[in-house]
Amino acid sequence: MSMLPVYAKALVKALPFGPQPGASLPDREIGRSVALEATAYAGFTRVVEAPLTDTVHPGYLHILAFPLSMQLLADPAVPLPLVGMVHVRNRMDVHRPVRIGDVVDLNVSLAGPFTHPAGTTIDVVMRASVDGELAVTETTTYLAKGKHLDGAKPQEQPEREDFVAPRPTALWRLDPIIGQRYAKASGDYNPIHLNGLAARGFGFPRVIAHGMYTASRALAVADPRLDAYRWDVSFAKPILLPSTVGFAFTAGHRHESARFAVFDPAKGKPHVLSSVEAIEG
């Protein structure tokens, strides 16, 4: 699915003389069916360094639904601009494994808008089903910084614990090419990940890594082997490219329920905080 019309719509919407929406979200849901094909999935696993098995990494389902998410957020009736929105957190409930060869029915809708200390958020809600059975649900939260809407609803904010950087068990050297590689695998060609001038236009001194690249790579290391689980992600300080970042478990163990982080090993500041917790399928 080409993202060019979506990006064009988002840019027009951001113009001061563009369409003027109301304060509520459009009541709209869109979907697509995707046959999970081994070659395309293998490309994703190479980028995030995930083991190549027939069980699909949930981050891959996120990128399959990504064009639908952007299409909804770029709708002129949505009262917040897509340009400049920040991905602040993610939650995926994996109710059952999704495997190569499955045909996945994806349905995406919006929830909100919600109040936030730094502006207003919108949730993108994705449901992935296989043979009529719900397999994965996802809530992706985007923040429009400095934007406030009278009709926004209050929403409880997750508590963020004080982060004390552990000793890294791995160091990742991330070069700017990773932005291009993940963009090709995911379809997320946001220029802040690819172009230094665009990144500076949004206040970053250099291009930044895709948040879901970092989160998906961290989950690949955790490699949960649970029948059903919740994968929570909180995005903190963006990773400027190039950078060397640390990875470590902060609780639990690989293959099990656990907490883990990607962080700046020199300054001790977190980039991505994640957890995996077993749930009832």
Side-chain angles (χ1 to χ4, degrees):
M1 180 182 296
S2 173
M3 293 291 291
L4 290 177
V6 176
Y7 290 137
K9 186 185 293 185
L11 289 172
V12 170
K13 181 180 170 181
L15 296 173
F17 50 81
Q20 299 301 309
S24 60
L25 297 182
D27 183 13
R28 188 173 164 224
E29 180 176 302
I30 55 178
R32 65 187 292 212
S33 295
V34 182
L36 298 184
E37 190 266 330
T39 302
Y41 179 61
F44 169 80
T45 62
R46 284 194 295 272
V47 174
V48 302
E49 301 191 18
L52 181 57
T53 69
D54 70 339
T55 300
V56 172
H57 186 302
Y60 188 63
L61 298 178
H62 171 88
I63 68 173
L64 292 179
F66 181 75
L68 303 178
S69 303
M70 295 299 100
Q71 187 176 331
L72 283 180
L73 289 171
D75 190 316
V78 172
L80 295 169
L82 173 57
V83 175
M85 274 192 175
V86 180
H87 188 180
V88 291
R89 60 181 179 268
N90 222 70
R91 167 170 287 179
M92 295 189 84
D93 286 348
V94 179
H95 306 288
R96 48 146 286 187
V98 178
R99 304 187 187 282
I100 294 298
D102 286 343
V103 175
V104 180
D105 297 316
L106 301 168
N107 285 279
V108 178
S109 59
L110 301 179
F114 301 105
T115 58
H116 186 279
T120 303
T121 61
I122 291 177
D123 286 346
V124 178
V125 181
M126 183 272 285
R127 296 166 63 86
S129 301
V130 177
D131 294 331
E133 179 185 357
L134 184 64
V136 176
T137 55
E138 177 186 41
T139 300
T140 303
T141 301
Y142 292 98
L143 168 66
K145 285 188 174 181
K147 304 291 185 180
H148 299 279
L149 296 176
D150 291 338
K153 299 172 283 188
Q155 185 183 48
E156 184 177 354
Q157 299 298 318
E159 291 186 14
R160 179 174 289 182
E161 298 179 5
D162 291 337
F163 178 75
V164 178
R167 188 172 186 173
T169 55
L171 293 173
W172 303 346
R173 176 63 183 177
L174 304 181
D175 293 312
I177 191 66
I178 199 64
Q180 300 171 32
R181 293 180 61 210
Y182 186 78
K184 184 176 180 181
S186 68
D188 183 355
Y189 285 91
N190 187 327
I192 63 173
H193 305 300
L194 304 170
N195 182 280
L197 286 175
R200 286 193 288 274
F202 284 93
F204 302 107
R206 304 194 300 275
V207 294
I208 63 173
H210 291 78
M212 283 303 290
Y213 159 77
T214 312
S216 294
R217 183 168 172 179
L219 185 70
V221 177
D223 191 17
R225 299 184 183 178
L226 303 166
D227 292 334
Y229 61 91
R230 170 168 290 174
W231 174 32
D232 269 321
V233 180
S234 177
F235 298 101
K237 182 182 178 183
I239 299 174
L240 301 175
L241 299 177
S243 283
T244 296
V245 299
F247 172 89
F249 287 94
T250 56
H253 303 281
R254 192 168 184 246
H255 306 324
E256 304 172 1
S257 295
R259 293 182 179 274
F260 42 100
V262 179
F263 55 94
D264 183 331
K267 298 181 179 179
K269 300 296 185 181
H271 295 298
V272 175
L273 301 173
S274 293
S275 66
V276 169
E277 180 182 1
I279 61 172
E280 295 293 328

